[in-house]
Amino acid sequence: MSRASQLPAPATAATISARGIVKSYGATPALREVSFRAEPGEIVAITGPSGSGKSTLLLCLAGILQPEAGEVWFAGRRIDDAGEEARSRMRRTVFGVLFQFGQLVAELTAAENVALPLLLSGARRREALAVARTGLDRVGVADLADVHPSQMSGGQAQRVAMARALVTRPDVLFADEPTGALDSLAGEQVLTELTRAARQGGTTVLLVTHEARVAAYADRELSLRDGVVDGPAHEVEYGPGR
Amino acid sequence: MKHVVLGLLALGDRHGYDVKRQYEARFPAAKPLAAAQVYATLERLERDGLVAQGGVDRAGGPDRTSYTATPAGRAELHRWLSEVEPPLPYVGAALLTKVTLAVLVADDAAAAGYLRRQRAAHLDRMRELTRLKSDPASSLAWVLAADYALNHLDADLQWIDTAMIRTADLSKEMRP
């Protein structure tokens, strides 16, 4: 019996969980038996210094990377062993993904960018664009609908990318340093809108960041260090002196 | 205290209780002022010629003397506002003292445990402040106060993170 299967069974509903995840890059271990669970609607910050494995964990949970050992479960189903096509379909439907930058298609307007996941899932263009405009409005950038990315500020582009990540009303949004390239006020607006929209839609958010002020937007923190969870379970109580 | 009262009177004449109320509205995150402290400050400012009595308000209650900032008071306020606040010359925060002593009298693991718990407490407070400033109903005064507190807590947290990495080295140096 593998170590992962000895861990508690994951909850169902839209719970996402990892059990005993192991992932390496060549000979360098990135994650060493990491277990984690986020309840539906929770906003969890995944924090840690550079190289702690936080982005790798996010990519494994989102099905972009496949772990070498351990399991990823979503809504009561194991998903890490699903084929690439099935995992890709999940990212277009029940998952949303938001990275630091470089996400918008330069040739498309904001509304067309936001409509893209719907079009890829077979929606009609007119309906997809109408939903996209509502999505832009929801994150406060309705006036950018017909604007191309090259004419937007960094903060505006990130809000459009956020609208796109949320347009399918995903159960889980994976955000990797979403404000890393923005100044503090633009970052604050993105985080405020992101958490507000997620809470309204009941979306679970997994937010990778190395900044405490970003982690403070989340309900709780999962801290990683050297590929393991650095938390209360590992804490040593303050004892008498030696 | 003297300059805070002068600043509030520079916005318009007020009686003592109104100064207290204005202070609480403009500095919502600060410790509330005691009324006696306000009246004592007004007396000292009047003695020094920085404020003067402006009149008595008798509307629907006990008589209340209002105060006005004199030209000398306004000049003193602007002199104070133009002065740079010097950075603190000594580092003596309780956080630093506690971690240094934890490394000295306990062990690395105990010091790291203390740092972790302190980090969690700081982050809890940062969450509260972030919720507060993200609330559309929060006034600008609250947002400014929350920003100030968040930046200081963030600086502490960055120090805690570095300290956690340095703890082992620090302990070797302190207990060779």
Side-chain angles (χ1 to χ4, degrees):
Chain A
M1 184 186 278
S2 76
R3 184 183 167 85
S5 60
Q6 293 168 21
L7 293 163
T12 53
T15 300
I16 185 152
S17 62
R19 302 201 287 166
I21 292 284
V22 175
K23 180 72 188 172
S24 309
Y25 297 109
T28 311
L31 294 175
R32 297 185 281 191
E33 297 197 18
V34 171
S35 295
F36 160 75
R37 186 160 97 189
E39 301 303 331
E42 244 194 326
I43 300 180
V44 183
I46 302 176
T47 64
S50 298
S52 56
K54 53 190 189 299
S55 290
T56 303
L57 176 61
L58 192 84
L59 295 173
C60 286
L61 289 165
I64 296 168
L65 287 179
Q66 278 189 297
E68 286 135 28
E71 300 168 359
V72 179
W73 288 72
F74 172 68
R77 286 174 51 205
R78 190 173 166 184
I79 59 169
D80 58 284
D81 56 359
E84 173 51 36
E85 198 186 319
R87 286 185 286 125
S88 172
R89 191 169 52 247
M90 289 188 81
R91 290 197 296 277
R92 288 198 308 270
T93 53
V94 288
F95 291 169
V97 184
L98 183 62
F99 292 110
Q100 191 169 334
F101 39 42
Q103 308 159 73
L104 298 180
V105 181
E107 292 75 17
L108 303 181
T109 64
E112 288 165 343
N113 263 288
V114 176
L116 211 51
L118 301 171
L119 294 168
L120 289 172
S121 299
R124 290 182 183 192
R125 184 176 167 80
R126 180 187 292 235
E127 286 157 14
L129 283 172
V131 174
R133 283 175 190 274
T134 310
L136 286 168
D137 187 37
R138 205 177 304 129
V139 296
V141 287
D143 52 336
L144 295 178
D146 300 316
V147 174
H148 283 80
S150 62
Q151 294 164 289
M152 297 174 198
S153 69
Q156 288 172 331
Q158 199 60 341
R159 284 162 89 163
V160 173
M162 181 165 73
R164 188 174 65 184
L166 292 169
V167 75
T168 56
R169 300 252 174 180
D171 290 317
V172 186
L173 176 68
F174 300 93
D176 193 353
E177 304 273 9
T179 57
L182 305 180
D183 65 50
S184 59
L185 275 181
E188 191 177 303
Q189 284 176 339
V190 166
L191 289 166
T192 303
E193 295 294 348
L194 175 71
T195 47
R196 194 184 53 77
R199 287 188 204 286
Q200 272 178 1
T203 301
T204 305
V205 180
L206 305 183
L207 176 63
V208 162
T209 182
H210 67 280
E211 291 183 86
R213 64 178 72 202
V214 174
Y217 282 83
D219 301 322
R220 67 179 168 97
E221 176 191 40
L222 176 83
S223 178
L224 293 181
R225 196 169 293 269
D226 297 328
V228 296
V229 176
D230 179 38
H234 302 264
E235 194 166 299
V236 180
E237 288 300 316
Y238 190 97
R242 54 187 177 189
Chain B
M1 187 63 223
K2 145 182 164 183
H3 294 101
V4 173
V5 174
L6 268 178
L8 293 172
L9 289 179
L11 297 170
D13 296 359
R14 301 179 194 289
H15 51 74
Y17 185 69
D18 199 21
V19 167
K20 174 178 155 60
R21 266 200 327 219
Q22 276 294 318
Y23 177 82
E24 283 157 11
R26 303 278 176 179
F27 304 98
K31 191 176 159 189
L33 285 182
Q37 204 182 349
V38 175
Y39 292 116
T41 305
L42 284 168
E43 264 178 38
R44 274 199 303 276
L45 288 169
E46 190 183 7
R47 182 199 64 200
D48 297 340
L50 300 175
V51 305
Q53 295 195 11
V56 177
D57 177 9
R58 295 199 166 84
D63 290 359
R64 283 171 169 169
T65 306
S66 76
Y67 290 85
T68 188
T70 63
R74 286 174 186 272
E76 170 55 21
L77 175 66
H78 286 287
R79 186 202 61 73
W80 178 74
L81 286 176
S82 66
E83 247 178 31
V84 169
E85 283 296 310
L88 294 175
Y90 304 108
V91 179
L95 192 58
L96 171 64
T97 311
K98 221 168 184 179
V99 169
T100 308
L101 286 173
V103 172
L104 275 173
V105 303
D107 55 32
D108 306 346
Y114 164 68
L115 282 168
R116 246 184 227 114
R117 286 192 297 278
Q118 189 61 53
R119 187 180 192 288
H122 266 55
L123 199 53
D124 280 349
R125 180 67 185 137
M126 287 179 78
R127 272 191 210 105
E128 285 173 19
L129 290 163
T130 301
R131 270 198 297 275
L132 193 149
K133 74 177 223 179
S134 303
D135 183 344
S138 292
S139 67
L140 180 61
W142 262 116
V143 173
L144 282 176
D147 273 342
Y148 183 85
L150 276 165
N151 277 293
H152 282 78
L153 288 166
D154 192 37
D156 275 356
L157 262 183
Q158 286 182 39
W159 177 80
I160 289 171
D161 285 344
T162 312
M164 285 170 89
I165 296 164
R166 290 198 205 275
T167 307
D169 295 343
L170 193 67
S171 126
K172 272 184 220 141
E173 189 184 307
M174 287 184 172
R175 291 191 305 256

